[in-house]
Amino acid sequence: MESGGEFDLTEIAHFNGGLFDGRKSIPMDADDLKLLVEASSLDWSLIDPTIFGTLFERFLDPTKRSQIGAHYTDPEKIMQIIEPVVLRPLREEWEAVRSTIKPLTDKASGIKPTSQSPGDRRVADNAARKLRSEATLKRDSFLARLSDVRVLDPACGSGNFLYLALQGIKDLENRIVLECEAMDLPPKILSIGPEILAGIEINFFAAELARTTIWIGDIQWRRRNGIYSEPPPILRKLDSIECRNALIAVTNGNSGEASWPEAEFIIGNPPFLGAKKFLGALGDDASQTLRGTFEGRIPAFSDLVCWWFEKAKSQVLTGQSKRVGFVATNKIRNGASRIVLDNISNQLAIFEAWSDEKWIVDGAAVRVSIVCFGKAADSPRLDGHPVVSISSALTPMTTGVISPQKLKENAECAFIGVQLNGEFDINETVALSFLTAPLNPNGESNTKVVRPLISGRDIMRDRRARWLIDFGTELSEPASALFEMPFEWVKKRVKAERDTQKRASRKRYWWRFGETMPKMRRKTSALTRYMATSLSSRHRAFVWIPHPTLVDSTCVVIAKDDDATFGILHSRFHLNWAREQGNWLGVGNDSRYTPTTTFETFPFPEGFAPADKPEMRNATHHSRISEAGRRLDRERNAWLYPPNLVELVPSIDPAYPARLLPKNAEAAETLKLRTLTNLYSQKPQWLLNAHTQIDNAVAAAYGWAADLPDNESFEHLLQLNSSRANN
């Protein structure tokens, strides 16, 4: 069977390629055979091979699917990589070669014998033949170069990237032959096949599926273009699709960095796996091996996709590749993950990128960035538009700034809230029982360790009455035990779980929060109020938090109490900066506001940075911004808490601020819809007017026109960041 043959005078084609490699057939019962016969009666000749990727995902266990980051990328998105990375440079090369062929064929066509004598005709024919022979050599030389192209997908899955790349290159080969025939050059047999492709895939079934997808696509391409003869065997072994780990190789029990085959073009959609999911998905040993192997090259808590970017960058720098194009979640342009793009921007060039693309996969809205890079920047294009250059944040650049830097005047002002790591939060009923209890053996009230709690959800969507038990940053276990009722609550609900944790400090100091945030506490302790915003949110808004309320780790604290800072943070200039610099979540439209990449890099107007002295500020600008900030806060609170629906109620303990509560059940139902998320989704005109007043005042403080476009203001902010970071 491996070499074909005959059966009942019917020739059996020689397939090979793994279909007839000596393996035992799959056991099949009568029902299986019936399904096979039914399937074989269908016309499979025009099936779209890219559907195999979707079928493959359906077979995966749903829990395993989330672990390995498997996902199907639609052909349109794939072509946003293949077009600029692979096809565009090859077409440009061909156009350059064609420009040298066309004059030769035109000249050959214009040669005419000077007379009708046989000798003159021979001279003319020989001259034309010589020119066409020279043109043919140029064509054949380029077609040979095309046959030598190698395309690698180091996370090839079911092979869709490779399949579409092969289709595009074969289309180009066919176009070249047809164009040259039109120029009166001799025909040429098309020879490019799947051998130009290479892939790496850790899943055995997916690797086999990739080979099948590629071969079906190759055969279909031939049929579509009128080529029905097949050189035996029809399928040749495609060993260049390797089933192995793309990042780590184990030799004689020793782990090291895996090698990739040399390939002019690297494309693909590496697995989406966030840094926090490493341990659960890969396991302790595999995670430590991966991070240790690439130590010093990639931050340990980067997303998994960053390792593919780093490997591809190394392939280009060592001359084993020229151009790379990958899909990643759009977190690649923010936070720790962006360091890999910083390194690429510093050593190579990003020549094509789509910063924040949205498409639907199985009903889920997924946000991605598409990044193409290499040694040459070509004519850079960002989000489909020409730009001078592209930054590591996937923003347009004209200043030469690679990545915004942290500014010292913004240091130690923005913090993540406390991280509980245990059942320290309590409802109002429990809090009331603690706060009204008799004084403790130390003579202290429980107000010392029971505090109101706010989360990001409470800021944007809910008004939950939440409290927490807080033994601070340094209170010892014996001293904490003197607050009898709160301590016993925590001991009963937290200690057993903390005893199982790997981190020694959390096990040892089980009565304290997992992250107590002492710097944040010191900065806010002298303030009667401070600002906070939800760590991740669809809309960005800042609110005032009264002392001694604490916010948890779903919030970012801004340790400032002045209206001017409040106004500046709500200006469109800062909000645009936050969108560009903050992390976008992998799904939906929520963005993440980070103390480091978002706040600490933001260049405030001159004199308004957190560390600036008051006398450095322009008094007029300060007054205008402060008044605009107060107006926004006043009108926003009036909408959130309409005076006719709420009443001011003293807190359950005089140590804490009074609260606005619904007057009745009907008011409570109305207030449920009055949230910051709903407000900023609706954007009523009064809200737009309040923000416009802020924008105008802040623009004046920068010395900008009030109608300065967002892209230009962002560019100016990048320049300010660069100049201040270098001073």
Side-chain angles (χ1 to χ4, degrees), residues 548-721:
T549 305
L550 272 181
V551 300
D552 68 14
S553 58
T554 63
C555 300
V556 175
V557 167
I558 310 297
K560 295 283 289 181
D561 64 353
D562 63 292
D563 296 308
T565 300
F566 184 85
I568 292 169
L569 294 183
H570 279 100
S571 70
R572 66 181 174 90
F573 311 113
H574 176 259
L575 296 178
N576 184 44
W577 182 269
R579 282 191 296 271
E580 295 296 334
Q581 294 298 114
N583 293 336
W584 281 86
L585 302 184
V587 297
N589 297 313
D590 288 0
S591 66
R592 188 179 294 269
Y593 189 94
T594 61
T596 51
T597 61
T598 306
F599 183 88
E600 292 184 10
T601 60
F602 178 70
F604 282 78
E606 189 70 33
F608 284 85
D612 291 341
K613 297 179 180 179
E615 58 266 25
M616 297 172 62
R617 303 169 184 162
N618 178 287
T620 300
H621 295 322
H622 182 269
S623 176
R624 287 184 61 193
I625 296 172
S626 297
E627 173 52 37
R630 285 192 292 270
R631 172 190 173 182
L632 174 66
D633 184 52
R634 181 175 61 251
E635 294 180 355
R636 211 168 57 179
N637 283 335
W639 185 88
L640 292 169
Y641 305 98
N644 62 322
L645 298 183
V646 299
E647 57 185 349
L648 192 65
V649 177
S651 183
I652 57 179
D653 188 277
Y656 306 115
R659 293 181 297 161
L660 290 169
L661 296 178
K663 288 184 175 180
N664 49 51
E666 184 178 353
E669 289 301 311
T670 301
L671 291 175
K672 285 181 180 179
L673 300 177
R674 298 223 164 192
T675 67
L676 284 177
T677 294
N678 288 341
L679 175 60
Y680 278 92
S681 294
Q682 297 166 16
K683 292 185 176 67
Q685 188 60 49
W686 66 262
L687 180 66
L688 297 177
N689 292 342
H691 274 277
T692 297
Q693 182 181 349
I694 288 177
D695 294 340
N696 293 343
V698 175
Y702 279 113
W704 301 340
D707 59 352
L708 185 70
D710 283 346
N711 63 329
E712 293 185 30
S713 67
F714 184 76
E715 190 72 19
H716 290 330
L717 291 172
L718 287 171
Q719 293 175 354
L720 281 174
N721 174 276

Side-chain angles (χ1 to χ4, degrees), residues 1-13:
M1 292 293 288
E2 289 192 9
S3 58
E6 291 184 357
F7 178 76
D8 193 23
L9 301 180
T10 301
E11 183 179 357
I12 298 175

Side-chain angles (χ1 to χ4, degrees), residues 228-245:
Y228 294 94
S229 62
E230 297 288 354
I234 292 177
L235 303 184
R236 299 178 294 280
K237 288 187 176 181
L238 204 53
D239 293 333
S240 58
I241 306 297
E242 304 176 73
C243 183
R244 63 177 174 90
N245 191 311

Side-chain angles (χ1 to χ4, degrees), residues 69-133:
H71 46 282
Y72 168 71
T73 308
D74 64 84
E76 287 186 5
K77 289 292 182 238
I78 294 175
M79 291 309 298
Q80 285 179 252
I81 285 179
I82 292 175
E83 170 62 30
V85 173
V86 180
L87 300 180
R88 185 186 301 162
L90 292 178
R91 280 199 300 266
E92 290 174 354
E93 277 189 54
W94 164 241
E95 290 302 322
V97 173
R98 187 180 184 280
S99 68
T100 66
I101 292 176
K102 188 69 165 58
L104 295 173
T105 58
D106 287 347
K107 187 175 180 180
S109 299
I111 295 177
K112 305 296 181 183
T114 57
S115 70
Q116 295 301 315
S117 68
D120 286 345
R121 286 199 298 270
R122 280 195 300 272
V123 170
D125 289 345
N126 288 338
R129 189 179 301 111
K130 184 177 180 181
L131 290 168
R132 289 195 177 94
S133 177

Side-chain angles (χ1 to χ4, degrees), residues 25 51 107 168 181 311 322 446 480 486 489 530 532 599 616 684:
S25 61
I51 197 175
K107 187 175 180 180
E181 286 184 16
K311 279 284 297 179
K322 291 183 178 179
N446 284 328
S480 300
W489 172 283
Y530 59 88
F599 183 88
M616 297 172 62

